[in-house]
Amino acid sequence: MFLKYLQIVNYKNLRSARFSFVEGVNTVIGENDSGKSNAMTALRILLDDTYYYNTKRLKENDFSDSLGNWKGHWIILSAVFGKITSEDKETEVCAGIVPENENEEFLKSYIKSGEDDIGVISLFIRPQKQVRKKLSEITDIAEFEEERKKIKISDYEFYYTSRAQTDFTDKDIYTKIVGDLEKGQCSDPDEDDDRILGCKLNIADVQDHILKIVEYEVNRTRELINIMIIEEPEAHIHTHIQRTLFDKLKVTKDYTQIITTTHSTHLAEVSEVKNINILKSIGSNSISMQPSQGLDEFGKKNLQLKNLKLSDCIERYLDSKRSVLLFSKGVVLVEGDGEEILIPNLIKNALGVSLDEMGIGLVNVGSVSFEYIASLFSEERIKRTCAIVTDEDIQIVETDSKLYKAEAEKRGKSRKKKLADLYGTNPWVESFFAPHTLEV
């Protein structure tokens, strides 16, 4: 049993975020103030019995700034656990978080591993029933707003459930369970749907018998799952030993799941793509991105990788270029050493600023196989711009010349078509073609 997904809605700068985790060591990467600590705090609020948090500690600024008016809105935290075995379910409380019937639609968005069950624990920080009931009965929007203004933090409750198979980051789902408050509409609490929210849960039982948030190995107990949170170890550990620390952490895979937050390039370079979540700030909000989300399926469908996984192909390639892809605001992919040397100087001379100053990384692919790296950038993976700079290899000599290379020109046309087919509808990837090779 391990923590597979975490949903966070309306908590601080995480308006609507979903994190994906694997067994063993996981890394949450992001710049300062991108929400790494907020995500870990949300996880502790949901699962850690030593992190005392209730309405007495709830504050107005715990709600997302982008809501404008927080009153009436909900904070939703939901954890999905994977690989729950029949042995795990011998614990009565564990069996209680496993859905009786699996929702196929839900499992399509939360890809389940293996044949084992999933379990779900959710927390809804929401106005108490009587407050919601009163709002739901008001039809006049001016009267609704007056009543809404009266809501206080002390009017909120902490409501835990199990077995919810719901994507709470879906705006339509949120509106269905909360209402459209800005339009003077609040959902009727008498119509709360357990199929969406889940069944009421005594969280103390779960924390006592299933979960343990640990700090050190000596804290290991008989719980079914141990989660260790390590926040920004680079702030306390010299860069020379950061990689060593990360390698040593990997030995805990059998009994402890580790989630570490970082903005260190040293730790990023030893993190596997499938173990990474990236936080990106957009105004007052941050979004969570998973580079490996649907990556292997994309490779199998579009790149005809039958016996290879695209994530494994990228993993082998990324050793020296990983931090550029993970930390840059945008990426330029080029095919050779000449472009790698010339393009940064051309940019500096033309614009007066360097690629580094603009936060743009340049990656020398060392071939024309751009599709392996470019596939990381998409709506479901890394939402950052990726430019592919290449050429069509149109020959500048006549066809009867000994120097004419028909195959090169043919490959150039094929490459242009392939990139157009793969990324023509991808808003994050764009290809730029010079007519002739760089040497010309």
Side-chain angles (χ1 to χ4, degrees):
M1 177 177 175
F2 70 100
L3 175 64
K4 191 166 179 61
Y5 294 102
L6 174 66
Q7 298 183 69
I8 302 175
V9 177
N10 290 339
Y11 182 66
K12 295 189 179 288
N13 66 337
L14 300 172
R15 176 72 181 267
S16 179
R18 189 162 71 187
F19 295 82
S20 175
F21 302 110
V22 298
E23 294 177 89
V25 181
N26 298 267
T27 311
V28 179
I29 294 173
E31 298 175 351
N32 288 331
D33 299 322
S34 61
K36 301 187 299 294
S37 293
N38 291 340
M40 296 304 100
T41 300
L43 179 60
R44 294 191 66 191
I45 290 172
L46 178 61
L47 302 178
D48 188 356
D49 63 335
T50 67
Y51 192 79
Y52 186 67
Y53 192 88
N54 58 16
T55 50
K56 291 182 179 178
R57 292 189 63 183
L58 183 66
K59 302 180 293 294
E60 291 182 13
N61 63 7
D62 287 338
F63 291 84
S64 173
D65 286 341
S66 62
L67 289 171
N69 181 3
W70 60 270
K71 296 184 176 184
H73 279 288
W74 298 20
I75 292 174
I76 303 174
L77 311 175
S78 183
V80 178
F81 300 91
K83 211 173 181 179
I84 297 180
T85 64
S86 55
E87 184 180 347
D88 292 334
K89 288 194 292 183
E90 288 177 8
T91 304
E92 183 180 349
V93 179
C94 183
I97 68 172
V98 176
E100 292 180 359
N101 299 300
E102 292 181 341
N103 183 326
E104 289 299 324
E105 243 180 77
F106 180 74
L107 292 180
K108 284 178 184 176
S109 59
Y110 289 88
I111 301 170
K112 181 180 156 187
S113 59
E115 299 299 319
D116 299 312
D117 289 316
I118 63 166
V120 187
I121 297 173
S122 305
L123 167 61
F124 304 94
I125 302 176
R126 64 184 188 179
Q128 296 168 13
K129 183 175 180 178
Q130 65 270 25
V131 175
R132 292 191 290 136
K133 185 65 178 177
K134 195 166 187 178
L135 283 175
S136 69
E137 293 172 344
I138 299 174
T139 55
D140 180 74
I141 191 165
E143 185 183 347
F144 182 92
E145 282 303 318
E146 284 301 313
E147 190 62 33
R148 187 181 172 194
K149 287 178 184 178
K150 299 176 184 177
I151 297 176
K152 307 182 294 295
I153 286 291
S154 57
D155 291 325
Y156 273 74
E157 65 176 359
F158 281 50
Y159 181 73
Y160 289 89
T161 71
S162 65
R163 299 180 173 179
Q165 297 184 82
T166 307
D167 180 2
F168 294 110
T169 62
D170 185 319
K171 291 180 181 178
D172 292 335
I173 293 291
Y174 182 82
T175 301
K176 185 173 183 178
I177 62 176
V178 177
D180 194 335
L181 300 177
E182 312 316 316
K183 293 183 179 179
Q185 300 168 1
C186 179
S187 60
D188 185 344
D190 290 334
E191 297 177 3
D192 282 350
D193 190 345
D194 288 349
R195 292 172 298 178
I196 297 176
L197 300 179
C199 308
K200 189 173 182 179
L201 174 71
N202 182 351
I203 189 63
D205 287 342
V206 175
Q207 291 167 338
D208 287 344
H209 299 290
I210 299 179
L211 298 160
K212 185 71 175 178
I213 304 293
V214 300
E215 295 176 346
Y216 305 103
E217 182 178 353
V218 293
N219 290 70
R220 285 175 58 198
T221 56
R222 294 175 298 167
E223 284 80 6
L224 298 180
I225 176 172
N226 290 300
I227 301 173
M228 178 186 288
I229 297 173
I230 305 175
E231 294 201 52
E232 299 193 350
E234 66 269 18
H236 313 283
I237 299 171
H238 196 277
T239 53
H240 290 165
I241 61 172
Q242 285 178 24
R243 290 191 184 202
T244 304
L245 164 72
F246 208 79
D247 286 336
K248 294 296 183 185
L249 287 176
K250 293 177 183 177
V251 303
T252 63
K253 179 175 180 179
D254 290 340
Y255 56 80
T256 300
Q257 186 177 17
I258 294 173
I259 303 173
T260 180
T261 65
T262 185
H263 57 258
S264 163
T265 56
H266 298 279
L267 293 183
E269 285 174 2
V270 292
S271 300
E272 296 181 20
V273 168
K274 66 181 180 180
N275 301 3
I276 292 174
N277 289 267
I278 303 172
L279 281 170
K280 172 184 175 181
S281 297
I282 303 176
S284 61
N285 287 326
S286 286
I287 61 172
S288 175
M289 305 178 292
Q290 293 76 41
S292 63
Q293 180 69 34
L295 190 62
D296 292 333
E297 291 81 2
F298 180 89
K300 187 175 181 180
K301 178 181 178 181
N302 298 288
L303 304 181
Q304 286 74 53
L305 297 176
K306 295 180 180 178
N307 300 318
L308 290 173
K309 290 184 177 180
L310 180 54
S311 56
D312 291 338
C313 296
I314 291 173
E315 204 65 62
R316 288 193 290 270
Y317 174 80
L318 281 183
D319 287 341
S320 61
K321 304 173 178 69
R322 193 181 311 259
S323 61
V324 175
L325 292 172
L326 299 178
F327 286 97
S328 298
K329 294 178 180 177
V331 172
V332 178
L333 303 182
V334 298
E335 62 183 73
D337 297 337
E339 292 89 345
E340 186 178 13
I341 295 168
L342 283 175
I343 288 178
N345 287 289
L346 289 172
I347 295 292
K348 179 70 174 179
N349 288 330
L351 302 179
V353 292
S354 67
L355 289 174
D356 287 340
E357 289 173 299
M358 293 187 286
I360 297 173
L362 187 140
V363 176
N364 178 0
V365 176
S367 70
V368 291
S369 299
F370 300 105
E371 60 270 21
Y372 294 108
I373 302 302
S375 297
L376 286 169
F377 301 90
S378 73
E379 275 295 315
E380 61 177 332
R381 288 182 284 279
I382 301 179
K383 296 180 183 179
R384 287 180 179 148
T385 51
C386 172
I388 299 172
V389 178
T390 184
D391 58 76
E392 298 179 64
D393 272 328
I394 296 174
Q395 302 296 291
I396 61 170
V397 296
E398 297 299 327
T399 55
D400 58 355
S401 169
K402 291 181 180 180
L403 299 175
Y404 182 79
K405 298 177 181 178
E407 280 303 310
E409 193 164 315
K410 185 178 179 182
R411 287 195 299 269
K413 289 180 180 178
S414 175
R415 179 164 65 252
K416 188 172 185 178
K417 183 180 185 305
K418 178 172 68 173
L419 292 176
D421 290 343
L422 288 173
Y423 309 114
T425 58
N426 186 331
W428 300 99
V429 180
E430 188 170 355
S431 301
F432 300 87
F433 294 86
H436 312 295
T437 185
L438 175 70
E439 288 75 15
V440 174

